[in-house]
Amino acid sequence: MTIDNAGIVTKPLQPAFFAYRSSSNYSSSSTTEKVLLDAYEYDINSDYSTSTARFNAPVAGRYFFTGTVSCYSMTNDSYNMATLKVNGVVKAYGNRSAARNAGDWNVSVSAVLNMAAGDYVELWSFSDDTSRTFSNETWNHFSGHLIG
């Protein structure tokens, strides 16, 4: 921890990450699908795994998480919702959006979650459209950091 002359405190090893989808679009044939985020902008302490698309809490505490799910070519009047799962259990539902005219639809979720050391959190999509396609690049992203 450092404190500069102005009194600003920084904690350079505080757990934090920003993950996104770097490779091609992919489709889902399920109503519930983990959002596959295979790259990161930053990952302090290497707590986010691109192979499992999950953040593993290195220490117990309260963490802030936020995620955005972007799907396109959705069936008219279908819905999509973003969720956060801790150890495989839904802990937070985000907003839900209904598709109109088979367009692109973005939904998001954010929450402060109590985590034990070793718990993991993942970003999921829940939809009644079993033929939706997830956008690539930074349209889908997931981030979080330890609050304390």
Side-chain angles (χ1 to χ4, degrees):
M1 175 172 20
T2 60
I3 304 172
D4 71 8
N5 292 339
I8 297 172
V9 177
T10 59
K11 300 181 235 177
L13 297 179
Q14 189 84 343
F17 73 99
F18 178 86
Y20 62 94
R21 178 84 184 160
S22 70
S23 54
S24 62
N25 302 339
Y26 66 99
S27 296
S28 173
S29 60
S30 174
T31 57
T32 304
E33 180 83 20
K34 181 167 47 170
V35 183
L36 303 176
L37 304 169
D38 60 357
Y40 52 82
E41 182 72 26
Y42 59 88
D43 180 13
I44 309 303
N45 299 324
S46 301
D47 299 312
Y48 181 83
S49 169
T50 56
S51 62
T52 61
R54 68 174 50 158
F55 173 81
N56 294 289
V59 297
R62 283 177 302 283
Y63 290 78
F64 174 78
F65 296 102
T66 187
T68 297
V69 177
S70 176
C71 294
Y72 66 94
S73 299
M74 292 183 65
T75 304
N76 198 34
D77 290 329
S78 62
Y79 67 86
N80 194 22
M81 181 187 313
T83 63
L84 294 173
K85 289 187 178 184
V86 174
N87 301 330
V89 177
V90 174
K91 292 294 181 176
Y93 289 105
N95 64 322
R96 180 171 128 164
S97 180
R100 296 288 185 260
N101 301 320
D104 294 356
W105 296 99
N106 296 320
V107 291
S108 60
V109 60
S110 59
V112 174
L113 301 174
N114 280 320
M115 306 277 288
D119 284 352
Y120 66 88
V121 62
E122 301 165 321
L123 177 64
W124 284 72
S125 168
F126 179 71
S127 178
D128 63 347
D129 185 347
T130 58
S131 63
R132 67 194 182 282
T133 300
F134 290 82
S135 304
N136 66 347
E137 299 181 5
T138 57
W139 288 98
N140 287 292
H141 53 84
F142 179 35
S143 62
H145 65 276
L146 175 64
I147 297 172

